[in-house]
Amino acid sequence: MSSMKVNALARFLAVAACTAAAAGAAPAALAVPSFARQTGMACEACHTVFPELTHFGRVFKANGYTLTNLKQVRDVTGKKEELLELAQFPPLSIMAQISYTEMKTPVPDLAAEGAPGVAQNGTAGFPQQLSFFYAGKIAPNFGAYLQLTYANDTGTIGIDNSDLRFASAAVLPDNGTLTYGLSVNNNPTVQDLWNSTPAWGFPYAASNANVSPLAATAISGPYAQNVAGLTAYLYWNESLYVEAGGYRSAKQGVTNALTGAAGPLDGTTSNVIQGLAPYWRAAYEYNWSRNSLEVGLYGLDVKVLPGGTPSAPSPLIGPFNQFDDVAEDLEYQFIGDQHLFSVLATHIHESMTLNAAFASGASANPSDTLTTSEIAATYYYRRKIGGTLQYFSTTGTTDTGLYPAPLPGAAGVVTSANGSPDTRGWIAELNYLPWLNVKVSAQYTWYGKFNGGGSNYDGVGRNASDNNTLYLLLWFAY
Amino acid sequence: MVRFTLCLLGAAALIAAGSAARADEPDAAARAHAQHIAVTVCGTCHGPNGNSTQPKFPRLAGQNANYLAAQLKAFRAQTRGDPDAIGYMWGMASQLDDDAIEALAAYYAAQKAEPSASGASAAISRGREIYAKGVAAQGVPACSSCHGPDAHGLQDFPRLAGQHAQYVLKQLGSFQSNMRNVAIMHGVAQNLNVGDMDAVAAFLETQP
């Protein structure tokens, strides 16, 4: 990687979201047969087609993944208080993604800098991702979705999306229900019940061997697996959902420079959340006949200290950058025996106050905005064959610091000629499921605009459409 | 005519067996537990009071307790084999003991069935006729002879009034194919054509 590219990325890292983070936040998959083993119910009870949840799946999640129809090893007190409920077999699952990615135009080969060489096009991922899960009940009101993932880009095994829940449900005098619970999780919206929020939104699987746009909102993944959040929620009559809580940095793979221990975090660590980042969510779901419609709001307000690296430390004091995200979402589902149709949409507006970045020159403006919109329509026939079409758009303030132009002689690709984050395009995906836990997909992403431009977007002659990507995937879980 | 007589004889035998097998009334604790399960677990699909709004899942409010208990036991024993029984109910019923089954059955039997669909059409009129008189030319007996003139059923014979048409239609299909293996209903359904099934289902959905 050229030093110029490193500098550009480093500057962007200092503000918050970066291409690497966005790539790392590519949706890790939710498809867990251990839930089916635990409940004795087929995938279709909780999913239209994995990982999209049905109403029953949402209620199962809100109840802490604890519904079980397995024989239990139990212990009780003389007052019939439950002390222990262990399934005779632990709820373990495995999941694999085998993929092939081909971009319309290869990217430059940095080993041949100054020469016309290009990197090899066509990347096989075997596996792109291999995950192990504990997903199910732990105790009568306590359940877990814990995912460990090997990924081919890091070549290591690390913690993936995880969500521990305490939950219970009360019967109201009118036979209504009030479900209440707590979630401890490591990715804002991973605990959410609908697929219209980022963590479990479309695309459910994406290439990690392509080019990602520079801009991403704080709530859409840059902090995934590097935060710990505690949220509390109420779910009334399986319709009205409210949740509030906060997130704090919980870095993976960093140590305190003085003690060598896992903490406290110091100035050798970058992008550290100051205090607690508040998270909030409100949604209402209406179900009628074969249909359900959800509309909601959610948000996250993150104050980030830029910090530094072991080689270039910077104390965790002084000005910070703030990313205040407010979003709306909508999910519609029609679930018939033959035909299934759903629409997922979300619109995220981010207000950035860049005191630290502006002071250091990493941003050109003291404040910026960023807005992302996504709408996806999915159809399946008998849960066997189907597809999704999604439109996505990012717009925002032009900022030559956050979205920098290439330095003279640099390779471009992950730069912006005009300092604009604007990106838009379409994703079309076709899926075939020979069995409910095996999916074969072909996905194509078209870019009309990328990092601010259609043609020569990077300042080195690359067009947005050069980043169009074909992604073939075999995805299964057991 | 022979088939019709056999059907009635079978029905009488079922009623007698069902009456003899009926368990004691659930005690207060069992009733409270059943209500909690019914509202917080079963209710997600069947509605908290058993008046499901999703046609995939049958309405259970006001259903006859004997019939409900027999079905839950059939799910538990994995002997009821229609697709949704396998996909959903085999698991859900697998750990229910007889007391819980009786209490759940009593809970739903005690719930008030809310009105389902309403309306009038040629299909509904045709369905009413089939329900009351059968289709003599095809050897299909009158549904009312077992399920009662008001379609409220009796003991082992299920209440059909107000049931989702889609659900009734799927069950008739499962009886016809023997995926749901019930000799009496296979005999009834095997000569019903799809149009007649549609008509009967549409009629039943409108019944109070």
Side-chain angles (χ1 to χ4, degrees):
Chain A
M1 184 180 283
S2 74
S3 61
M4 284 151 287
K5 186 178 174 188
V6 169
N7 287 341
L9 281 175
R11 280 198 289 170
F12 195 67
L13 265 169
V15 188
C18 67
T19 51
L30 171 71
V32 194
S34 61
F35 287 147
R37 291 189 192 96
Q38 175 175 300
T39 61
M41 301 170 83
C43 310
E44 68 170 270
C46 288
H47 298 282
T48 52
V49 169
F50 76 86
E52 184 182 319
L53 291 176
T54 62
H55 175 73
F56 188 89
R58 292 188 276 276
V59 174
F60 173 75
K61 185 172 180 178
N63 280 288
Y65 314 113
T66 56
L67 174 66
T68 180
N69 292 307
L70 293 175
K71 280 186 181 173
Q72 304 287 306
V73 177
R74 298 176 62 204
D75 197 2
V76 296
T77 66
K79 294 180 179 176
K80 294 187 177 177
E81 294 166 324
E82 298 282 355
L83 292 173
L84 183 72
E85 280 187 11
L86 293 179
Q88 292 185 333
F89 301 98
L92 302 176
S93 283
I94 189 168
M95 185 201 83
Q97 293 180 327
I98 316 298
S99 69
Y100 179 79
T101 299
E102 183 145 336
M103 297 176 62
K104 183 182 172 192
T105 306
V107 298
D109 184 348
L110 294 182
E113 199 165 4
V118 293
Q120 187 182 48
N121 200 8
T123 304
F126 190 91
Q128 177 185 332
Q129 183 175 319
L130 180 65
S131 292
F132 302 92
F133 301 84
Y134 180 101
K137 180 178 170 179
I138 291 174
N141 297 98
F142 183 40
Y145 173 92
L146 287 171
Q147 183 177 3
L148 273 181
T149 293
Y150 166 84
N152 65 344
D153 49 4
T154 61
T156 59
I157 294 176
I159 191 75
D160 205 330
N161 282 334
S162 293
D163 178 25
L164 302 172
R165 301 179 92 104
F166 161 83
S168 189
V171 177
L172 304 175
D174 63 350
N175 260 7
T177 54
L178 182 65
T179 305
Y180 53 95
L182 297 170
S183 165
V184 181
N185 63 77
N186 67 353
N187 182 5
T189 73
V190 81
Q191 76 279 32
D192 197 50
L193 306 182
W194 291 272
N195 291 94
S196 44
T197 53
W200 302 123
F202 184 86
Y204 303 121
S207 174
N208 64 350
N210 59 349
V211 181
S212 298
L214 283 168
T217 57
I219 202 168
S220 65
Y223 297 98
Q225 293 96 48
N226 275 305
V227 290
L230 174 64
T231 64
Y233 59 93
L234 293 172
Y235 193 25
W236 176 72
N237 277 352
E238 300 177 9
S239 317
L240 179 65
Y241 181 83
V242 291
E243 180 184 4
Y247 286 83
R248 193 164 163 78
S249 279
K251 296 282 186 179
Q252 307 299 318
V254 301
T255 54
N256 181 284
L258 179 65
T259 65
L265 297 176
D266 60 19
T268 62
T269 307
S270 61
N271 299 319
V272 175
I273 293 174
Q274 184 185 65
L276 203 63
Y279 171 87
W280 56 274
R281 170 75 160 135
Y284 186 80
E285 177 179 312
Y286 179 64
N287 287 278
W288 76 103
S289 187
R290 302 169 180 84
N291 309 274
S292 77
L293 176 67
E294 175 267 349
V295 290
L297 298 168
Y298 59 101
L300 179 72
D301 186 2
V302 194
K303 297 183 178 72
V304 185
L305 292 159
T309 63
S311 59
S314 175
L316 297 178
I317 55 172
F320 54 81
N321 301 310
Q322 183 170 3
F323 304 88
D324 188 2
D325 290 7
V326 176
E328 306 96 50
D329 71 301
L330 175 147
E331 176 169 331
Y332 166 78
Q333 292 176 312
F334 172 89
I335 303 176
D337 285 335
Q338 306 281 331
H339 307 287
L340 298 92
F341 177 70
S342 59
V343 174
L344 304 171
T346 191
H347 177 267
I348 304 172
H349 182 78
E350 181 168 278
S351 299
M352 307 181 215
T353 306
L354 303 167
N355 292 338
F358 188 62
S360 70
S363 72
N365 309 317
S367 63
D368 284 339
T369 63
L370 188 68
T371 301
T372 63
S373 306
E374 295 172 357
I375 182 165
T378 297
Y379 169 81
Y380 271 98
Y381 177 69
R382 290 187 170 179
R383 294 182 162 87
K384 202 85 173 163
I385 188 160
T388 299
L389 185 64
Q390 185 197 52
Y391 174 75
F392 59 87
S393 157
T394 298
T395 58
T397 314
T398 294
D399 189 317
T400 53
L402 293 191
Y403 321 113
L407 296 175
V413 181
V414 290
T415 55
S416 171
N418 57 12
S420 164
D422 292 5
T423 297
R424 63 169 179 261
W426 295 83
I427 298 175
E429 182 178 291
L430 286 175
N431 300 303
Y432 170 64
L433 290 95
W435 303 278
L436 289 175
N437 60 334
V438 178
K439 188 190 272 187
V440 182
S441 299
Q443 183 191 87
Y444 196 82
T445 304
W446 285 271
Y447 287 104
K449 206 173 206 185
F450 198 95
N451 290 349
S455 60
N456 187 25
Y457 75 84
D458 66 346
V460 190
R462 192 171 176 86
N463 299 329
S465 62
D466 290 331
N467 292 332
N468 291 357
T469 302
L470 172 68
Y471 175 60
L472 306 176
L473 175 69
L474 169 63
W475 182 5
F476 57 87
Y478 189 79
Chain B
M1 192 62 199
V2 171
R3 185 179 295 124
F4 181 50
T5 308
L6 280 174
C7 169
L8 288 179
L9 284 172
L14 263 178
I15 291 172
S19 303
R22 186 160 184 179
D24 295 337
E25 290 297 315
D27 62 22
R31 287 202 303 272
H33 183 58
Q35 182 196 10
H36 192 84
I37 294 173
V39 173
T40 62
V41 181
C42 317
T44 300
C45 294
H46 295 285
N49 299 309
N51 288 294
S52 112
T53 59
Q54 303 173 60
K56 183 180 182 71
F57 305 111
R59 294 161 68 93
L60 304 179
Q63 187 54 275
N64 300 317
N66 272 26
Y67 171 76
L68 279 175
Q71 297 312 302
L72 284 169
K73 289 173 182 173
F75 295 135
R76 184 178 63 185
Q78 303 189 352
T79 53
R80 181 174 159 177
D82 47 307
D84 289 337
I86 294 171
Y88 290 75
M89 290 307 298
W90 281 16
M92 291 300 284
S94 65
Q95 301 302 313
L96 293 175
D97 60 25
D98 286 354
D99 289 347
I101 285 175
E102 296 298 339
L104 281 168
Y107 171 82
Y108 284 113
Q111 302 306 305
K112 182 173 167 42
E114 292 173 1
S116 187
S118 60
S121 67
I124 290 172
S125 300
R126 169 73 179 146
R128 184 193 309 277
E129 190 179 321
I130 295 169
Y131 185 84
K133 299 177 183 171
V135 187
Q138 293 164 228
V140 177
C143 315
S144 61
S145 57
C146 292
H147 294 278
D150 57 2
H152 286 194
L154 183 68
Q155 295 194 352
D156 295 289
F157 293 95
R159 174 196 174 98
L160 302 178
Q163 191 55 272
H164 294 300
Q166 179 186 325
Y167 178 76
V168 172
L169 195 59
K170 283 168 73 173
Q171 298 314 304
L172 287 170
S174 292
F175 291 131
Q176 196 174 52
S177 68
N178 258 336
M179 287 190 83
R180 186 174 172 183
N181 192 355
V182 179
I184 295 172
M185 283 308 300
H186 179 68
V188 172
Q190 66 177 340
N191 293 325
L192 270 176
N193 63 43
V194 174
D196 288 344
M197 289 184 191
D198 264 332
V200 171
F203 162 70
L204 287 169
E205 192 170 35
T206 63
Q207 294 309 289

